[in-house]
Amino acid sequence: MSQTTTGDEGPVMPQDSLTRLTEAGAEELLHGICFKTGPPRLLGAELEWLVFDAERPDRPVSHERLTAAHDAARALPLGSRVTVEPGGQLELSSAPASSLTGCVDGLQADLTAVRGALRDQGLVLHGLGQDPRRPLRRMLASPRYEAMETYFDRTGPAGRAMMCASASVQVCVDAGHEEPGPLGHGRRWRLAHLLGAVLVAAFANSPAHEGPYAGWRCARQGVWSDLDTRRSLAPPLEAEPRGAWTRQALDTEVMCVRTGADGGVDEEGAPWAVPRGLTFRDWMRSGAGLRPPTAADLDYHLTTLFPPVRPRGHLELRMIDAQPGEDGWLVPVAVVHALFDDPEAAETAYRVAKGLADSYGTRPAPRNPLWRSAARNALADPELRSAARACFRAAASALPRLGAGGHIIDTVGEFTERYVSRGRCPADDRTEPQQARTGTQTRAEAHTQQPRHRRPAGEEARS
C-alpha cells in the first residue's frame, strides 16, 4: 500500500508525466503502479459519512451549514485526510497503518474530534449506504463534477445517486507477495472479488422502499452496477491480474478530458470535454480530435473507474456500505483484515467464497446473479448466510492471532451475534418492526423459507 491513501481526485503527477503517452507506455505504467507486491503489512480505510441535522434528520442540510461543517473538520489536527464528496458526504481517509489496532485507534481519535466539531453545529455523522433524503443535490461545483454529471446523465439517474447520495466503508489491503500462495497477489485479487458478494450481504445497509431497487437491502450496489456498461465492472478473474486490469482500464470509455495543453485546469475554469464512446485506448491511437493524452491523463482516468475492487498499488475494496453506530465501521475493517492477512483465515475464506461463486457462473461482478442476490436479499439468502457465518468464524479466530484488542474483538462478536448468526444485516433494522425480532417471524426468516429461484446467468433486469 502506498504511504498515503488517495481520493478519487488522484495524486499530483510529476512534470515528466505530462509528455505524450503511447499505448506501450500506458501498459507499462499500469503494470508497474497497480499491483505493488511484497509482504502484506499495511492496512487502511476510507470512511464516507452522510451529514445529518441532529434534531431533524429527515431534512436536507443546507449547503452553507455543510460547508461550515467541512471547514471545521479540515481545521482539526487529524491523522486522517478529510475530503468531501459531491453531495456533501464527508470522508476520512486513514494513513496506512502497520496494525489493525493502529488503524482503528487513529480513525477513532479522528472521528471523535470530527463528531465533536459537528456537534457544536447541531450536526451528526450518519452511517448509511444510501441517503434517503430527497431531492438529490450536488453541492460541489467544479469542472470534474460538471463533466461527471454530464457523462452519467447519458445513461440514467444512477450516476447522480452515486455522486450525491452514497456512502461506504472502503478497506485497503496490500496487494500481497509476487509468489503464489494464500498471501500472493493473484490469490488476494481473486479472493477480493469472490468474497465481495459475502461482504455486500453481511454489511448491507442501504434499504430502498421505492424506485428501481425497492425491497433491496443494498440499493447502493444497484446504483453502482447501473452506472454504465463497463466502468463499474470487475475484469475477468480467469486472466492474469495485471493484464486483465490493464485491458479493462484502457478499454473503458474516457469520462472527460481536462482543459489545458498539459491536462491541467485553465484559469477560467473552462468546462472539460466529455467525449462519447471514446476509450482511453482509442484516444491514444486516434486522438479523436483532442489533445494527445499524457501519463497524468491516464492516472486521472483510473480515478474515474469504479469497480468493486480497484488496484491502486494496494487493493481497495469498495463494495461495503457505510455502517451504523459509533463503531460499526470497524467491523468490516477488522473482518477484511483478518480474512486477507491471516493465512489460515484467508484459506478458509477463499474455499468458502470460491465454492459459492463457482455455482453462479463467471459473469463479472457486480452484475452476476450472486452479487444481485447479495444486494437484494443479503443474508436472507441461505447460501450467502452460510458463507458469511463461516467467514466470520474464521475472522473471529484470526483476530487474536493478529493482535486485535479486546474492543475490536468484542465489537466484531456483537455484530456477528446480532446480524450474521441470525441471517440479518444492518438494513433489516430499518425494514423490520421491532416486535418481529422478539418472538414473531422476521421478514428475513420468512424469506429464507420461500423456494429460491436463481436468475438465469444472462438476465440482468432490475426488480
Side-chain angles (χ1 to χ4, degrees), residues 115 164 183 212 310 402:
R115 284 174 172 139
C164 299
L183 299 184
R310 188 162 62 178
L402 293 168

Side-chain angles (χ1 to χ4, degrees), residues 246-261:
T246 294
R247 289 188 292 274
Q248 181 85 353
L250 297 184
D251 292 333
T252 298
E253 288 185 15
V254 173
M255 177 180 288
C256 53
V257 176
R258 296 174 292 175
T259 56

Side-chain angles (χ1 to χ4, degrees), residues 116-168:
L118 266 61
R119 190 182 307 116
D120 292 341
Q121 301 186 26
L123 301 172
V124 293
L125 297 178
H126 192 69
L128 186 62
Q130 197 73 14
D131 195 337
R133 297 171 297 180
R134 292 296 182 269
L136 296 179
R137 302 180 303 162
R138 178 164 61 87
M139 175 184 170
L140 300 185
S142 70
R144 170 184 171 89
Y145 294 124
E146 295 284 351
M148 184 179 288
E149 193 171 87
T150 298
Y151 176 88
F152 282 132
D153 281 353
R154 294 170 180 169
T155 56
R160 292 197 181 208
M162 178 275 287
M163 293 170 62
C164 299
S166 67
S168 67

Side-chain angles (χ1 to χ4, degrees), residues 430-452:
R430 298 177 174 273
T431 58
E432 299 170 6
Q434 288 290 331
Q435 61 268 27
R437 301 186 208 117
T438 60
T440 59
Q441 187 182 48
T442 67
R443 177 177 173 182
E445 291 165 344
H447 182 95
T448 62
Q449 295 178 13
Q450 301 302 316
R452 183 171 175 273

Side-chain angles (χ1 to χ4, degrees), residues 284-302:
M284 291 187 293
R285 288 179 175 178
S286 69
L290 302 166
R291 62 170 176 76
T294 66
D297 290 313
L298 176 59
D299 184 78
Y300 188 83
H301 175 63
L302 296 178

